[in-house]
């Protein structure tokens, strides 16, 4: 039986395919190997997109024998929409997971690029990206939604400033789960079993309705001025949440932090970051503090297992 997510992707594909003739350019494995998707596109991978517009996958794209940079679709102009149509962009990368739950090594790793690489205002949606040297990397003002990104040898999803990420699952990547350069809006994001931080947010932005579990670093790591709300952070290797100057952390749970860093606390807050309506329990390490750093401001309604919340 197909999963609910698979059914949603299939429905999205049918809707997109119905409009494939309305200026939408189709891409499939045969076209990718033959070349000519755009005038700049040569045979084989990567598929190169050099014209603005909308593109639709009508089959999986499979690139075996990965090389660095492992780009399967290279988008060289802004303002492009790539709809995976319920299909996937796959490589043959294999990652080895240790007893710490996250990948310890991958056959292909270390690339700074994603299997899908785009510039400003790129939209990527409706499919899966797995088994490549990197996941998805797009520029400022981009939109990424309805994706599963897994088993890649670098960061799963990297987006530029002012980008929107929604309804994505990022799991088992040899890097951060989701990395944003700042001022991003993340909603309905699941990040688990990534080697580094589950979510890395540089600069102001928002994380809402996120689940971060069993990542090697912090579950959610944010710089100053962020909003983190309605979240769950469970069994991450370092802190459950790191909140920078001026960040507000609200309505969430942090549990079982510190698998990899025995000194980690549940919530590390600095520079007057505030927390409200947060339940923090059960660190694994030697640090009994549920909240550390004296810069944290208790805004009320919190519960801390080690005693009164500071």
């Amino acid at each position: 039986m197909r999963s609910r997510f698979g059914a949603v992707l299939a429905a999205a594909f049918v809707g997109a395919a119905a409009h494939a003739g309305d200026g939408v350019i189709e891409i499939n494995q045969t076209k990718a190997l033959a070349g000519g998707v755009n005038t700049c596109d040569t045979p084989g991978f990567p598929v190169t997109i050099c014209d603005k517009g909308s593109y639709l996958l009508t089959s999986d794209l499979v690139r075996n024998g990965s090389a660095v940079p492992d780009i399967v679709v290279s988008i060289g102009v802004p303002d492009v929409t790539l709809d995976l149509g319920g299909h996937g962009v796959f490589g043959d990368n294999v990652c080895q997971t240790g007893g710490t739950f996250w990948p310890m090594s991958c056959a292909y790793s270390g690339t700074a690029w994603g299997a899908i690489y785009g510039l400003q205002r790129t939209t990527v949606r409706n499919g899966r990206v797995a088994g490549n040297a990197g996941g998805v990397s797009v520029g400022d003002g981009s939109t990424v939604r309805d994706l599963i990104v897994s088993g890649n040898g670098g960061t799963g999803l990297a987006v530029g400033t002012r980008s929107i990420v929604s309804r994505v699952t990022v799991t088992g990547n040899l890097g951060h789960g989701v990395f944003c350069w700042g001022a991003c809006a993340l909603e309905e994001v699941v990040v688990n079993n990534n080697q580094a931080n589950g979510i890395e947010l540089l600069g102001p932005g928002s994380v809402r309705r996120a689940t971060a579990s069993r990542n090697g670093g912090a579950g959610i790591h944010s710089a100053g001025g962020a909003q983190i709300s309605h979240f769950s952070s469970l069994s991450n290797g370092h802190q459950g949440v790191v909140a920078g100057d001026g960040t507000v952390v609200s309505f969430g749970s942090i549990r079982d932090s510190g698998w990899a860093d025995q000194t980690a606390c549940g919530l590390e807050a600095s520079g007057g970051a505030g927390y409200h309506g947060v339940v923090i329990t059960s660190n694994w390490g030697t640090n009994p503090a549920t909240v550390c750093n004296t810069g944290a401001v208790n805004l009320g309604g919190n519960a801390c297992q080690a005693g009164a919340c500071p």
Side-chain angles (χ1 to χ4, degrees), residues 5 129 146-150 166-171 173 178 188-192:
F5 188 84
V129 179
D146 297 313
L147 286 187
I148 298 174
V149 184
S150 62
S166 64
R167 300 189 302 272
V168 301
T169 297
V170 185
T171 181
N173 298 284
V178 177
E188 295 186 54
V189 174
V190 177
V191 287
N192 61 277

Side-chain angles (χ1 to χ4, degrees), residues 6 16 21 42 54 73 120 192 236 276 290 305:
T42 57
S54 297
V73 180
Q120 297 91 343
N192 61 277
N236 292 289
H276 164 62
T290 49
Q305 179 171 298

Side-chain angles (χ1 to χ4, degrees), residues 5-244:
F5 188 84
V8 170
L9 292 184
F13 166 67
V14 170
H19 295 85
D22 299 335
V24 177
I25 297 174
E26 296 183 4
I27 304 172
N28 55 42
Q29 184 80 359
T30 300
K31 285 187 175 182
L33 296 179
V37 171
N38 283 164
T39 55
C40 63
D41 182 45
T42 57
F45 293 110
V47 174
T48 303
I49 294 173
C50 55
D51 294 329
K52 297 179 181 180
S54 297
Y55 297 79
L56 172 68
L57 290 195
T58 56
S59 78
D60 293 340
L61 296 183
V62 181
R63 177 181 182 175
N64 294 324
S66 302
V68 177
D70 181 30
I71 303 175
V72 181
V73 180
S74 177
I75 303 170
V77 290
D79 302 305
V80 167
T81 294
L82 177 63
D83 190 332
L84 303 187
H87 298 290
V89 175
F90 300 117
D92 60 354
N93 200 3
V94 176
C95 297
Q96 301 298 322
T97 301
T100 50
F101 309 111
W102 50 83
M104 303 303 293
S105 64
C106 298
Y108 314 119
S109 61
T111 176
W113 312 114
I116 298 175
Y117 173 74
L119 301 182
Q120 297 91 343
R121 301 181 300 280
T122 297
T123 295
V124 182
R125 64 192 185 203
N126 300 335
R128 186 176 177 190
V129 179
N132 302 285
V136 177
S137 178
V138 290
D140 296 349
S142 293
T143 299
V144 179
R145 66 174 186 266
D146 297 313
L147 286 187
I148 298 174
V149 184
S150 62
N152 299 289
T155 292
L157 172 59
V159 297
T161 61
R162 305 180 305 282
S163 292
I164 297 172
V165 177
S166 64
R167 300 189 302 272
V168 301
T169 297
V170 185
T171 181
N173 298 284
L174 191 72
H176 298 300
V178 177
F179 182 96
C180 171
W181 286 98
C184 293
L186 279 59
E187 186 163 3
E188 295 186 54
V189 174
V190 177
V191 287
N192 61 277
N193 297 91
N194 300 288
Q195 190 187 67
N197 296 329
I199 295 173
E200 176 72 30
L201 182 64
L202 299 183
S206 64
V207 178
R208 189 168 184 265
R209 295 207 295 269
T211 300
S213 64
R214 298 188 183 280
N215 298 286
I220 302 171
H221 190 287
S222 67
Q227 295 277 342
I228 303 170
S229 67
H230 299 86
F231 68 93
S232 172
S233 178
L234 173 68
S235 296
N236 292 289
H238 290 248
Q239 306 91 332
V241 174
V242 177

